[in-house]
Amino acid sequence: MIGWIIAFFFLVIIILSGGYGWSKIKKEHNEIMSMPFSQINFDELGEGSFEGYFEGGMYKWRENSIKVTIVSGKITDVQVLQNKENRPSEFTNDLFERVINKKSLEVDTISGATLTSKAYLKGLEDALKKAQR
Amino acid sequence: MDRQNIAQNELYCMGTLISQKIFGPNSMHAIKASELEIKRLNNMLSRFVSDSDITKINSAAGLMPVMVSDEAFRLLKYSAECSRIYNGCFDITVGSIATLWNEYKIKKISPVRKDIRKQLAKVNFRDILFDPDNSSVLLKKKGQSIDLGGIAKGYASDKVLEVYKNFGIESAFVNFGGNVAVLGSKPDDSPWNVGIRHPRHKDSVIGVVAVKNKSVITSGDYQRYYIDNSGKHYHHILNPKTGYPANSGLISVTVVAESGVLADALSTIFFIAGVEKSIRILEYFPNIDVVFIDNDLNLSITPKLTCSFIPLDGIKVSELD
């Protein structure tokens, strides 16, 4: 009997601490998710290499420093110098590539884009409009 | 520029999403007029509109000639001429076979060789008989069908630019589901940056071409495709010679030209013909530029495009001789 009481006691502790821990994790996630980004004017970038640092949020889990290289106004390289989260380099490379390309390939409109899903939705909208009495 | 001097909208017509952006004092009037123009052209040229000139011709195939508007007559004549010149790579009588592929697409089944052969027998632009005296057109055999899908959007983009000009507009673009035509330059006088869709990543562009007063039209294997029940991928650009989706080693062809109708036809022709034949055809078109993308995502561009084309980082580009 005493064994069961101890087991139950530990179970309650685990559940409570788990719940407490989860609420902390959730808080951390929310903090990161709602973190705003400043507007960067990509047309006015200085020449050379620059290091950036992020202290990693409330528990410093995501601390990292990044080096960016700019040649003739264009981002040519992004390197991870320090990386507490230890994401594989494929992950970060892919992420940074998206940022770089988004800038260097700013477009007014796209040739060859069918925008299939949106087109279907528009078609549906059109049909529904006609269906309106 | 004053906000009220910019007009933009999106509408669904010609089986695709059409977006336009117009700058200038008359932009609101121009956008309304261009919408009417697009609908007018769709009602005249679509084989899916029950009383269009094209539907009338298709319904009377093998029976009697049909009188059509001068405009439809001229476009049909032009299309037939393209078919004649690029023997076999372009044929507006692919309607019957396109219908068959649409049925496959709906049922998601692999094509049946016998059915394709049967419909292929009806594909022949030489069976379109023109009578200029009364603007009438006859399709010789029963079951034959004209489909202007490879040319109508390019033609419509030219007509829309004409509408803009009639309203004194000097800066605008229209995009027919990926077929782009730009008028003039941007209001700050810089060229329009037209992205070319990455053929394998639907949310990204593979390069950007900077243009003024041009049409930029792309034919790609990723548009309107379907995957059959065995997992095979079929795109919508049919080779009129084989009756099957074109398989020339190219997955995307972008043509940059002043005329939208020509750019539209040529992008289809080049896509079907492949690079080698296209280079020979290009000798007759010194003012036309092309971006070819092959199966391995190698890009080759006409030399004049070197100054105005920026590829995505890491993409190899070679210049055509």
Side-chain angles (χ1 to χ4, degrees), chain A residues 39-101:
Chain A
Q39 284 286 332
I40 305 286
N41 185 352
F42 280 90
D43 293 326
E44 284 171 21
L45 297 174
E47 295 289 300
S49 288
F50 303 86
E51 278 181 32
Y53 172 74
F54 175 54
E55 82 288 349
M58 56 172 66
Y59 309 126
K60 317 242 175 281
W61 289 344
R62 298 166 201 277
E63 186 185 10
N64 66 64
S65 26
I66 308 287
K67 188 170 95 173
V68 57
T69 309
I70 292 146
V71 179
S72 36
K74 216 179 138 196
I75 303 170
T76 55
D77 188 35
V78 183
Q79 272 180 40
V80 180
L81 300 178
Q82 182 213 351
N83 171 14
K84 219 170 178 179
E85 267 196 287
N86 265 331
R87 289 279 194 171
S89 56
E90 298 88 57
F91 175 87
T92 46
N93 287 348
D94 187 50
L95 185 69
F96 295 142
E97 208 168 285
R98 286 201 327 245
V99 177
I100 297 169
N101 289 329

Side-chain angles (χ1 to χ4, degrees), chain A residues 105 108-114 119 122, chain B residues 175 177-178 193 195 197 216 218 222:
Chain A
L105 298 177
D108 298 305
T109 188
I110 296 174
S111 175
T114 48
K122 274 285 181 193
Chain B
N175 188 344
N193 292 322
R197 200 189 118 156
V216 182
T218 303
Y222 50 82

